[in-house]
């Protein structure tokens, strides 16, 4: 069974994009390639204890185990050695990507405090979108009474769109809650 958001993409979004941008080839219609969640953790005394908690929480949110990221350089002022775990990341593709994005759009994003929409200024010029999520407890999979630290992460949506305009239209049609023009941050 296909994820609900992918069904919406096939039935409404792809035909809408084909009509708006006059694509002659169906393979030129932009689609989602992957979704990447990236977390970095701070203070040296917390780092080792935080690593497992962050990896576990990211696994609960995404349904896939996070990969720890290691330091490539040593920085003595930060008490950082080569090979220390400094973050974690998860790359979602296929059905997990569509299901995660559906949960983010319909369940998690509306629960963000003082949420007026995501910024439309976070496109990279090549059709990819990145936003920062300051608190991971917006996801229902996280039990609030078991949270020892709030985790913020970057959410990157990689598309096959060639321009930001195409990517913005794709994400808007998928239901990403972008901020209305003229509203303050």
């Amino acid at each position: 069974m296909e994820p609900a958001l992918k069904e919406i993409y096939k039935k409404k979004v792809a035909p809408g994009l084909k009509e708006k941008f006059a694509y002659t080839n169906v393979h030129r219609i932009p689609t989602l390639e992957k979704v990447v969640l990236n977390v970095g953790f701070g203070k040296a005394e917390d780092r080792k204890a935080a690593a497992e908690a962050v990896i576990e929480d990211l696994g609960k949110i995404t349904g896939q185990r996070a990969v720890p990221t290691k330091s490539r350089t040593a920085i003595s002022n930060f008490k950082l050695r080569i090979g220390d775990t400094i973050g974690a990341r998860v790359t979602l593709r296929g059905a997990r990507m569509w299901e995660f994005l559906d949960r983010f759009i319909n369940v998690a994003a509306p629960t963000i405090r003082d949420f007026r929409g995501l910024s439309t200024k976070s496109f990279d010029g090549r059709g990819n979108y990145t936003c920062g999520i300051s608190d991971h407890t917006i996801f229902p999979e996280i039990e609030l009474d078991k949270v020892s630290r709030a985790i913020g992460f970057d959410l990157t949506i990689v598309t096959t769109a060639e321009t930001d305009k195409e990517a913005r239209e794709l994400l808007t049609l998928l239901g990403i809650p972008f901020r209305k023009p003229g509203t303050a941050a």
Side-chain angles (χ1 to χ4, degrees):
M1 191 168 130
E2 277 192 347
L5 194 61
K6 190 168 184 180
E7 289 284 329
I8 292 169
Y9 172 79
K10 285 182 174 180
K11 291 181 178 163
K12 295 179 182 168
V13 177
L17 289 170
K18 185 176 181 181
E19 183 181 315
K20 179 168 183 170
F21 293 104
Y23 295 119
T24 54
N25 185 339
V26 294
H27 298 291
R28 293 222 31 218
I29 299 171
T31 186
L32 299 180
E33 203 171 296
K34 63 185 174 182
V35 172
V36 181
L37 280 73
N38 187 25
V39 178
F41 12 98
K43 302 179 188 75
E45 60 273 359
D46 285 318
R47 204 176 294 129
K48 290 179 181 86
E52 276 308 309
V54 169
I55 289 170
E56 183 182 328
D57 283 350
L58 272 181
K60 287 179 187 175
I61 291 169
T62 61
Q64 182 173 310
R65 182 158 169 81
V67 176
T69 53
K70 308 275 185 189
S71 167
R72 287 186 252 163
T73 58
I75 303 171
S76 62
N77 289 345
F78 297 134
K79 297 181 181 143
L80 183 65
R81 295 186 179 124
I82 293 175
D84 281 355
T85 301
I86 56 171
R89 73 174 183 274
V90 178
T91 302
L92 302 171
R93 299 174 194 266
R96 280 195 179 140
M97 170 190 67
W98 289 103
E99 289 167 2
F100 171 80
L101 212 52
D102 190 17
R103 278 194 334 262
F104 176 71
I105 293 167
N106 298 314
V107 179
T111 63
I112 297 173
R113 191 182 334 168
D114 298 332
F115 186 67
R116 292 183 184 90
L118 298 172
S119 173
T120 56
K121 297 178 182 178
S122 298
F123 286 91
D124 68 351
R126 293 185 179 94
N128 305 313
Y129 181 75
T130 301
C131 65
I133 306 299
S134 59
D135 188 11
H136 75 300
T137 59
I138 62 172
F139 290 93
E141 296 86 1
I142 302 298
E143 298 173 36
L144 292 174
D145 54 334
K146 293 185 179 176
V147 173
S148 58
R149 60 169 42 230
I151 300 167
F153 58 87
D154 291 329
L155 172 70
T156 302
I157 301 170
V158 180
T159 69
T160 59
E162 295 176 7
T163 65
D164 289 348
K165 184 178 179 184
E166 293 172 348
R168 186 178 298 114
E169 187 66 24
L170 166 68
L171 296 178
T172 301
L173 291 174
L174 282 173
I176 298 283
F178 286 118
R179 195 174 296 136
K180 303 288 184 268
T183 56

mmCIF file of all heavy atoms in Angstrom, residues 142-179:
data_model
loop_
_atom_site.group_PDB
_atom_site.id
_atom_site.type_symbol
_atom_site.label_atom_id
_atom_site.label_comp_id
_atom_site.label_asym_id
_atom_site.label_seq_id
_atom_site.Cartn_x
_atom_site.Cartn_y
_atom_site.Cartn_z
ATOM 1 N N ILE A 142 7.352 11.034 20.527
ATOM 2 C CA ILE A 142 8.206 11.371 21.658
ATOM 3 C C ILE A 142 7.342 11.530 22.908
ATOM 4 O O ILE A 142 6.409 12.316 22.931
ATOM 5 C CB ILE A 142 8.994 12.679 21.396
ATOM 6 C CG1 ILE A 142 9.840 12.546 20.119
ATOM 7 C CG2 ILE A 142 9.854 13.057 22.584
ATOM 8 C CD1 ILE A 142 10.887 11.468 20.162
ATOM 9 N N GLU A 143 7.688 10.773 23.940
ATOM 10 C CA GLU A 143 6.967 10.867 25.212
ATOM 11 C C GLU A 143 7.589 12.000 26.029
ATOM 12 O O GLU A 143 8.766 11.951 26.378
ATOM 13 C CB GLU A 143 7.057 9.542 25.957
ATOM 14 C CG GLU A 143 6.418 8.389 25.195
ATOM 15 C CD GLU A 143 6.667 7.051 25.869
ATOM 16 O OE1 GLU A 143 6.694 7.008 27.119
ATOM 17 O OE2 GLU A 143 6.847 6.078 25.131
ATOM 18 N N LEU A 144 6.787 13.002 26.339
ATOM 19 C CA LEU A 144 7.297 14.213 26.993
ATOM 20 C C LEU A 144 7.922 13.942 28.350
ATOM 21 O O LEU A 144 8.899 14.592 28.727
ATOM 22 C CB LEU A 144 6.176 15.245 27.125
ATOM 23 C CG LEU A 144 5.680 15.844 25.809
ATOM 24 C CD1 LEU A 144 4.484 16.743 26.060
ATOM 25 C CD2 LEU A 144 6.791 16.621 25.132
ATOM 26 N N ASP A 145 7.388 12.993 29.111
ATOM 27 C CA ASP A 145 7.933 12.741 30.446
ATOM 28 C C ASP A 145 9.280 12.024 30.415
ATOM 29 O O ASP A 145 9.998 12.003 31.410
ATOM 30 C CB ASP A 145 6.927 11.957 31.304
ATOM 31 C CG ASP A 145 6.461 10.677 30.641
ATOM 32 O OD1 ASP A 145 6.487 10.613 29.399
ATOM 33 O OD2 ASP A 145 6.063 9.748 31.371
ATOM 34 N N LYS A 146 9.673 11.475 29.267
ATOM 35 C CA LYS A 146 10.964 10.779 29.165
ATOM 36 C C LYS A 146 12.036 11.630 28.485
ATOM 37 O O LYS A 146 13.146 11.162 28.272
ATOM 38 C CB LYS A 146 10.784 9.468 28.398
ATOM 39 C CG LYS A 146 9.935 8.462 29.137
ATOM 40 C CD LYS A 146 9.874 7.158 28.403
ATOM 41 C CE LYS A 146 9.019 6.169 29.193
ATOM 42 N NZ LYS A 146 8.847 4.906 28.475
ATOM 43 N N VAL A 147 11.705 12.870 28.151
ATOM 44 C CA VAL A 147 12.659 13.740 27.455
ATOM 45 C C VAL A 147 13.609 14.374 28.465
ATOM 46 O O VAL A 147 13.179 15.043 29.398
ATOM 47 C CB VAL A 147 11.916 14.843 26.654
ATOM 48 C CG1 VAL A 147 12.897 15.840 26.067
ATOM 49 C CG2 VAL A 147 11.077 14.219 25.571
ATOM 50 N N SER A 148 14.910 14.163 28.264
ATOM 51 C CA SER A 148 15.895 14.768 29.160
ATOM 52 C C SER A 148 16.448 16.075 28.591
ATOM 53 O O SER A 148 16.918 16.921 29.325
ATOM 54 C CB SER A 148 17.046 13.790 29.400
ATOM 55 O OG SER A 148 17.645 13.438 28.169
ATOM 56 N N ARG A 149 16.389 16.228 27.274
ATOM 57 C CA ARG A 149 16.882 17.440 26.621
ATOM 58 C C ARG A 149 16.078 17.675 25.352
ATOM 59 O O ARG A 149 15.703 16.737 24.671
ATOM 60 C CB ARG A 149 18.363 17.338 26.300
ATOM 61 C CG ARG A 149 18.661 16.184 25.367
ATOM 62 C CD ARG A 149 20.043 16.102 24.763
ATOM 63 N NE ARG A 149 21.121 16.391 25.627
ATOM 64 C CZ ARG A 149 22.092 17.242 25.325
ATOM 65 N NH1 ARG A 149 22.085 17.866 24.182
ATOM 66 N NH2 ARG A 149 23.078 17.460 26.146
ATOM 67 N N ALA A 150 15.832 18.944 25.052
ATOM 68 C CA ALA A 150 15.156 19.287 23.802
ATOM 69 C C ALA A 150 16.181 19.223 22.676
ATOM 70 O O ALA A 150 17.295 19.725 22.808
ATOM 71 C CB ALA A 150 14.557 20.675 23.882
ATOM 72 N N ILE A 151 15.810 18.596 21.596
ATOM 73 C CA ILE A 151 16.714 18.429 20.463
ATOM 74 C C ILE A 151 16.196 19.269 19.300
ATOM 75 O O ILE A 151 15.036 19.167 18.927
ATOM 76 C CB ILE A 151 16.774 16.948 20.028
ATOM 77 C CG1 ILE A 151 17.264 16.067 21.169
ATOM 78 C CG2 ILE A 151 17.672 16.788 18.806
ATOM 79 C CD1 ILE A 151 17.044 14.596 20.922
ATOM 80 N N GLY A 152 17.071 20.080 18.752
ATOM 81 C CA GLY A 152 16.743 20.822 17.545
ATOM 82 C C GLY A 152 17.448 20.167 16.377
ATOM 83 O O GLY A 152 18.523 19.582 16.533
ATOM 84 N N PHE A 153 16.843 20.210 15.213
ATOM 85 C CA PHE A 153 17.481 19.591 14.056
ATOM 86 C C PHE A 153 17.144 20.346 12.779
ATOM 87 O O PHE A 153 16.221 21.149 12.738
ATOM 88 C CB PHE A 153 17.092 18.113 13.924
ATOM 89 C CG PHE A 153 15.610 17.853 13.808
ATOM 90 C CD1 PHE A 153 14.974 17.873 12.578
ATOM 91 C CD2 PHE A 153 14.859 17.566 14.932
ATOM 92 C CE1 PHE A 153 13.616 17.632 12.469
ATOM 93 C CE2 PHE A 153 13.504 17.314 14.844
ATOM 94 C CZ PHE A 153 12.879 17.351 13.605
ATOM 95 N N ASP A 154 17.939 20.090 11.751
ATOM 96 C CA ASP A 154 17.691 20.650 10.426
ATOM 97 C C ASP A 154 16.960 19.609 9.607
ATOM 98 O O ASP A 154 17.332 18.436 9.596
ATOM 99 C CB ASP A 154 18.999 21.002 9.709
ATOM 100 C CG ASP A 154 19.711 22.173 10.349
ATOM 101 O OD1 ASP A 154 19.014 23.043 10.897
ATOM 102 O OD2 ASP A 154 20.951 22.214 10.300
ATOM 103 N N LEU A 155 15.934 20.041 8.908
ATOM 104 C CA LEU A 155 15.146 19.177 8.035
ATOM 105 C C LEU A 155 15.374 19.652 6.604
ATOM 106 O O LEU A 155 15.051 20.786 6.269
ATOM 107 C CB LEU A 155 13.660 19.278 8.406
ATOM 108 C CG LEU A 155 12.662 18.600 7.494
ATOM 109 C CD1 LEU A 155 12.781 17.093 7.626
ATOM 110 C CD2 LEU A 155 11.254 19.028 7.854
ATOM 111 N N THR A 156 15.978 18.803 5.781
ATOM 112 C CA THR A 156 16.258 19.151 4.391
ATOM 113 C C THR A 156 15.423 18.276 3.479
ATOM 114 O O THR A 156 15.440 17.055 3.601
ATOM 115 C CB THR A 156 17.753 18.959 4.068
ATOM 116 O OG1 THR A 156 18.519 19.757 4.960
ATOM 117 C CG2 THR A 156 18.065 19.369 2.642
ATOM 118 N N ILE A 157 14.695 18.911 2.572
ATOM 119 C CA ILE A 157 13.891 18.193 1.597
ATOM 120 C C ILE A 157 14.579 18.361 0.245
ATOM 121 O O ILE A 157 14.682 19.467 -0.275
ATOM 122 C CB ILE A 157 12.453 18.748 1.543
ATOM 123 C CG1 ILE A 157 11.796 18.638 2.922
ATOM 124 C CG2 ILE A 157 11.636 18.010 0.487
ATOM 125 C CD1 ILE A 157 10.480 19.370 3.041
ATOM 126 N N VAL A 158 15.076 17.257 -0.300
ATOM 127 C CA VAL A 158 15.786 17.281 -1.570
ATOM 128 C C VAL A 158 14.807 16.882 -2.670
ATOM 129 O O VAL A 158 14.176 15.828 -2.593
ATOM 130 C CB VAL A 158 16.993 16.320 -1.549
ATOM 131 C CG1 VAL A 158 17.736 16.341 -2.878
ATOM 132 C CG2 VAL A 158 17.933 16.678 -0.412
ATOM 133 N N THR A 159 14.679 17.747 -3.676
ATOM 134 C CA THR A 159 13.747 17.501 -4.779
ATOM 135 C C THR A 159 14.519 17.354 -6.091
ATOM 136 O O THR A 159 15.704 17.679 -6.161
ATOM 137 C CB THR A 159 12.739 18.658 -4.936
ATOM 138 O OG1 THR A 159 13.429 19.809 -5.411
ATOM 139 C CG2 THR A 159 12.049 18.981 -3.629
ATOM 140 N N THR A 160 13.821 16.906 -7.118
ATOM 141 C CA THR A 160 14.426 16.829 -8.447
ATOM 142 C C THR A 160 14.161 18.095 -9.245
ATOM 143 O O THR A 160 14.510 18.169 -10.426
ATOM 144 C CB THR A 160 13.885 15.609 -9.226
ATOM 145 O OG1 THR A 160 12.473 15.737 -9.343
ATOM 146 C CG2 THR A 160 14.246 14.310 -8.537
ATOM 147 N N ALA A 161 13.551 19.095 -8.624
ATOM 148 C CA ALA A 161 13.253 20.360 -9.304
ATOM 149 C C ALA A 161 14.553 21.066 -9.677
ATOM 150 O O ALA A 161 15.542 21.003 -8.948
ATOM 151 C CB ALA A 161 12.408 21.259 -8.411
ATOM 152 N N GLU A 162 14.521 21.741 -10.813
ATOM 153 C CA GLU A 162 15.718 22.445 -11.276
ATOM 154 C C GLU A 162 15.799 23.870 -10.742
ATOM 155 O O GLU A 162 16.878 24.435 -10.671
ATOM 156 C CB GLU A 162 15.761 22.448 -12.802
ATOM 157 C CG GLU A 162 15.927 21.046 -13.367
ATOM 158 C CD GLU A 162 15.878 21.006 -14.890
ATOM 159 O OE1 GLU A 162 15.850 22.089 -15.517
ATOM 160 O OE2 GLU A 162 15.859 19.896 -15.428
ATOM 161 N N THR A 163 14.658 24.452 -10.382
ATOM 162 C CA THR A 163 14.652 25.826 -9.878
ATOM 163 C C THR A 163 13.891 25.880 -8.555
ATOM 164 O O THR A 163 13.100 24.983 -8.237
ATOM 165 C CB THR A 163 13.973 26.792 -10.866
ATOM 166 O OG1 THR A 163 12.583 26.439 -10.969
ATOM 167 C CG2 THR A 163 14.617 26.749 -12.240
ATOM 168 N N ASP A 164 14.125 26.967 -7.809
ATOM 169 C CA ASP A 164 13.418 27.163 -6.547
ATOM 170 C C ASP A 164 11.924 27.369 -6.772
ATOM 171 O O ASP A 164 11.106 26.959 -5.954
ATOM 172 C CB ASP A 164 13.993 28.359 -5.789
ATOM 173 C CG ASP A 164 15.374 28.070 -5.236
ATOM 174 O OD1 ASP A 164 15.780 26.893 -5.234
ATOM 175 O OD2 ASP A 164 16.040 29.017 -4.792
ATOM 176 N N LYS A 165 11.575 28.005 -7.874
ATOM 177 C CA LYS A 165 10.163 28.254 -8.172
ATOM 178 C C LYS A 165 9.409 26.934 -8.345
ATOM 179 O O LYS A 165 8.308 26.763 -7.803
ATOM 180 C CB LYS A 165 10.043 29.107 -9.434
ATOM 181 C CG LYS A 165 8.638 29.505 -9.785
ATOM 182 C CD LYS A 165 8.621 30.383 -11.024
ATOM 183 C CE LYS A 165 7.187 30.745 -11.376
ATOM 184 N NZ LYS A 165 7.121 31.510 -12.619
ATOM 185 N N GLU A 166 9.996 26.002 -9.076
ATOM 186 C CA GLU A 166 9.380 24.685 -9.272
ATOM 187 C C GLU A 166 9.285 23.937 -7.940
ATOM 188 O O GLU A 166 8.269 23.313 -7.633
ATOM 189 C CB GLU A 166 10.180 23.854 -10.271
ATOM 190 C CG GLU A 166 10.156 24.371 -11.680
ATOM 191 C CD GLU A 166 11.114 23.641 -12.602
ATOM 192 O OE1 GLU A 166 11.978 22.877 -12.109
ATOM 193 O OE2 GLU A 166 11.014 23.825 -13.817
ATOM 194 N N ALA A 167 10.352 23.993 -7.159
ATOM 195 C CA ALA A 167 10.369 23.294 -5.867
ATOM 196 C C ALA A 167 9.345 23.896 -4.910
ATOM 197 O O ALA A 167 8.647 23.157 -4.202
ATOM 198 C CB ALA A 167 11.761 23.356 -5.251
ATOM 199 N N ARG A 168 9.233 25.220 -4.881
ATOM 200 C CA ARG A 168 8.262 25.875 -4.003
ATOM 201 C C ARG A 168 6.839 25.457 -4.383
ATOM 202 O O ARG A 168 6.018 25.165 -3.522
ATOM 203 C CB ARG A 168 8.416 27.395 -4.068
ATOM 204 C CG ARG A 168 7.524 28.120 -3.068
ATOM 205 C CD ARG A 168 7.696 29.635 -3.082
ATOM 206 N NE ARG A 168 9.051 30.020 -2.714
ATOM 207 C CZ ARG A 168 9.915 30.607 -3.551
ATOM 208 N NH1 ARG A 168 9.578 30.885 -4.784
ATOM 209 N NH2 ARG A 168 11.122 30.935 -3.135
ATOM 210 N N GLU A 169 6.569 25.399 -5.667
ATOM 211 C CA GLU A 169 5.241 24.979 -6.130
ATOM 212 C C GLU A 169 4.975 23.514 -5.757
ATOM 213 O O GLU A 169 3.884 23.175 -5.296
ATOM 214 C CB GLU A 169 5.129 25.187 -7.647
ATOM 215 C CG GLU A 169 3.750 24.954 -8.199
ATOM 216 C CD GLU A 169 2.719 25.968 -7.716
ATOM 217 O OE1 GLU A 169 3.096 27.091 -7.328
ATOM 218 O OE2 GLU A 169 1.524 25.620 -7.712
ATOM 219 N N LEU A 170 5.973 22.658 -5.945
ATOM 220 C CA LEU A 170 5.842 21.242 -5.568
ATOM 221 C C LEU A 170 5.506 21.102 -4.092
ATOM 222 O O LEU A 170 4.544 20.419 -3.711
ATOM 223 C CB LEU A 170 7.146 20.492 -5.889
ATOM 224 C CG LEU A 170 7.324 19.100 -5.262
ATOM 225 C CD1 LEU A 170 6.337 18.108 -5.849
ATOM 226 C CD2 LEU A 170 8.745 18.606 -5.441
ATOM 227 N N LEU A 171 6.286 21.761 -3.235
ATOM 228 C CA LEU A 171 6.088 21.640 -1.795
ATOM 229 C C LEU A 171 4.775 22.286 -1.350
ATOM 230 O O LEU A 171 4.110 21.791 -0.447
ATOM 231 C CB LEU A 171 7.281 22.235 -1.043
ATOM 232 C CG LEU A 171 8.615 21.511 -1.278
ATOM 233 C CD1 LEU A 171 9.737 22.202 -0.526
ATOM 234 C CD2 LEU A 171 8.532 20.053 -0.883
ATOM 235 N N THR A 172 4.391 23.375 -1.991
ATOM 236 C CA THR A 172 3.122 24.023 -1.660
ATOM 237 C C THR A 172 1.947 23.099 -1.991
ATOM 238 O O THR A 172 1.030 22.942 -1.194
ATOM 239 C CB THR A 172 2.970 25.359 -2.411
ATOM 240 O OG1 THR A 172 4.067 26.203 -2.053
ATOM 241 C CG2 THR A 172 1.669 26.055 -2.056
ATOM 242 N N LEU A 173 1.996 22.480 -3.168
ATOM 243 C CA LEU A 173 0.928 21.557 -3.562
ATOM 244 C C LEU A 173 0.889 20.314 -2.672
ATOM 245 O O LEU A 173 -0.174 19.733 -2.458
ATOM 246 C CB LEU A 173 1.082 21.158 -5.030
ATOM 247 C CG LEU A 173 0.810 22.262 -6.057
ATOM 248 C CD1 LEU A 173 1.138 21.794 -7.464
ATOM 249 C CD2 LEU A 173 -0.635 22.738 -5.977
ATOM 250 N N LEU A 174 2.052 19.906 -2.144
ATOM 251 C CA LEU A 174 2.088 18.766 -1.222
ATOM 252 C C LEU A 174 1.504 19.130 0.146
ATOM 253 O O LEU A 174 1.175 18.261 0.929
ATOM 254 C CB LEU A 174 3.515 18.250 -1.050
ATOM 255 C CG LEU A 174 4.054 17.381 -2.186
ATOM 256 C CD1 LEU A 174 5.529 17.081 -1.966
ATOM 257 C CD2 LEU A 174 3.264 16.098 -2.319
ATOM 258 N N GLY A 175 1.428 20.430 0.443
ATOM 259 C CA GLY A 175 0.826 20.860 1.700
ATOM 260 C C GLY A 175 1.789 21.410 2.729
ATOM 261 O O GLY A 175 1.411 21.613 3.883
ATOM 262 N N ILE A 176 3.044 21.666 2.360
ATOM 263 C CA ILE A 176 3.994 22.270 3.291
ATOM 264 C C ILE A 176 3.437 23.643 3.684
ATOM 265 O O ILE A 176 3.126 24.451 2.817
ATOM 266 C CB ILE A 176 5.395 22.423 2.662
ATOM 267 C CG1 ILE A 176 5.980 21.066 2.285
ATOM 268 C CG2 ILE A 176 6.335 23.193 3.589
ATOM 269 C CD1 ILE A 176 6.521 20.252 3.415
ATOM 270 N N PRO A 177 3.303 23.904 4.988
ATOM 271 C CA PRO A 177 2.695 25.166 5.430
ATOM 272 C C PRO A 177 3.678 26.341 5.387
ATOM 273 O O PRO A 177 4.325 26.661 6.365
ATOM 274 C CB PRO A 177 2.267 24.857 6.874
ATOM 275 C CG PRO A 177 3.227 23.789 7.313
ATOM 276 C CD PRO A 177 3.579 23.000 6.097
ATOM 277 N N PHE A 178 3.792 26.964 4.205
ATOM 278 C CA PHE A 178 4.677 28.121 4.063
ATOM 279 C C PHE A 178 4.003 29.364 4.626
ATOM 280 O O PHE A 178 2.784 29.492 4.608
ATOM 281 C CB PHE A 178 5.046 28.360 2.599
ATOM 282 C CG PHE A 178 6.026 27.368 2.059
ATOM 283 C CD1 PHE A 178 5.697 26.530 1.013
ATOM 284 C CD2 PHE A 178 7.287 27.255 2.613
ATOM 285 C CE1 PHE A 178 6.593 25.612 0.512
ATOM 286 C CE2 PHE A 178 8.217 26.341 2.130
ATOM 287 C CZ PHE A 178 7.849 25.518 1.072
ATOM 288 N N ARG A 179 4.828 30.289 5.118
ATOM 289 C CA ARG A 179 4.351 31.571 5.635
ATOM 290 C C ARG A 179 3.770 32.386 4.487
ATOM 291 O O ARG A 179 4.320 32.403 3.391
ATOM 292 C CB ARG A 179 5.543 32.308 6.255
ATOM 293 C CG ARG A 179 5.172 33.467 7.129
ATOM 294 C CD ARG A 179 6.404 34.045 7.821
ATOM 295 N NE ARG A 179 6.997 33.073 8.724
ATOM 296 C CZ ARG A 179 8.305 32.848 8.817
ATOM 297 N NH1 ARG A 179 9.154 33.540 8.103
ATOM 298 N NH2 ARG A 179 8.779 31.947 9.653
#
